Amino acid sequence: MKQMMTPMTSFFRHLRNIRRDERASDALPMRMVVAVIAIGALVVLLYASISLLLEKEEIHAVQTVISEIESHASQMSYGGEGSSVTMDVNIPDNTRLVMGAIPGKEDEWPSDARNYYIEINRKQMIGESDASYSNLMLNGCVVLEAGPHVLNLESVRDQNGKIFIALVDKSQS
């Protein structure tokens, strides 16, 4: 009688052949190394993209603060001296905002009083304003470190008749 091959018999024969064939087990360590390298590269790329996304979020948050200060300061500057506005702002971590100066030339105030710069993780972005910024004593720029601040903006006139927006951090007093 002729013996018939069933699909299961063929399957078991195939499994026995795989067990005897050691090519797959020899290649396993190399496949694991390739998989670890590929996963490592993906993790590095993921970390880089998340870091960039967080930095963009910090930049956006600081630009929102600057926009708010700028809108009040430009109106106050055009209105003349005597205006005052108090506002709450929050500067993100790893961020510093300097109003009335450009990087490295903070001592040259008032020549750069219409400028400001943002420093985030040692990267600097410079901007120009419609208003001129100063501290309350009218002798220098204003530095805002990371954290919450209660700012009082006052439009004041110096001895030469120029209007400055004096920034006073009430939360530091």
Side-chain angles (χ1 to χ4, degrees):
M1 192 162 141
K2 193 173 181 183
Q3 192 177 24
M4 294 192 82
M5 284 193 69
T6 64
M8 285 304 276
T9 307
S10 171
F11 176 72
F12 288 126
R13 185 174 296 155
H14 182 66
L15 282 178
R16 273 188 243 120
N17 287 338
I18 289 176
R19 273 194 219 139
R20 278 187 251 139
D21 186 7
E22 301 215 358
R23 286 180 292 171
S25 63
D26 289 343
L28 184 62
M30 180 56 91
R31 289 181 181 165
M32 293 295 283
V33 168
V34 169
V36 167
I37 290 171
I39 290 171
L42 288 174
V43 167
V44 168
L45 289 173
L46 181 65
Y47 175 77
S49 63
I50 288 174
S51 296
L52 185 61
L53 183 65
L54 291 174
E55 185 175 309
K56 284 184 178 182
E57 181 63 32
E58 288 174 345
I59 290 170
H60 178 70
V62 172
Q63 286 176 335
T64 302
V65 168
I66 289 174
S67 175
E68 191 176 346
I69 292 172
E70 282 284 301
S71 68
H72 290 294
S74 64
Q75 289 176 3
M76 293 169 64
S77 180
Y78 292 130
E81 70 177 313
S83 301
S84 180
V85 172
T86 301
M87 57 193 305
D88 293 324
V89 297
N90 190 14
I91 309 294
D93 293 337
N94 304 320
T95 305
R96 188 171 90 137
L97 177 60
V98 180
M99 304 297 288
I102 58 174
K105 297 187 178 184
E106 290 85 356
D107 295 335
E108 295 182 17
W109 184 93
S111 64
D112 298 321
R114 295 181 80 97
N115 297 307
Y116 62 86
Y117 72 91
I118 305 165
E119 188 174 278
I120 299 176
N121 297 326
R122 295 183 302 269
K123 294 179 188 174
Q124 297 169 338
M125 297 177 353
I126 301 171
E128 189 174 357
S129 174
D130 291 336
S132 296
Y133 294 99
S134 174
N135 57 21
L136 189 59
M137 305 302 291
L138 294 178
N139 63 0
C141 62
V142 177
V143 178
L144 300 172
E145 299 291 339
H149 299 274
V150 178
L151 293 180
N152 188 32
L153 285 70
E154 296 178 26
S155 59
V156 293
R157 189 177 305 270
D158 71 349
Q159 69 269 13
N160 298 326
K162 185 174 180 180
I163 299 291
F164 284 94
I165 303 302
L167 290 167
V168 180
D169 189 0
K170 296 289 186 180
S171 60
Q172 301 298 319
S173 301

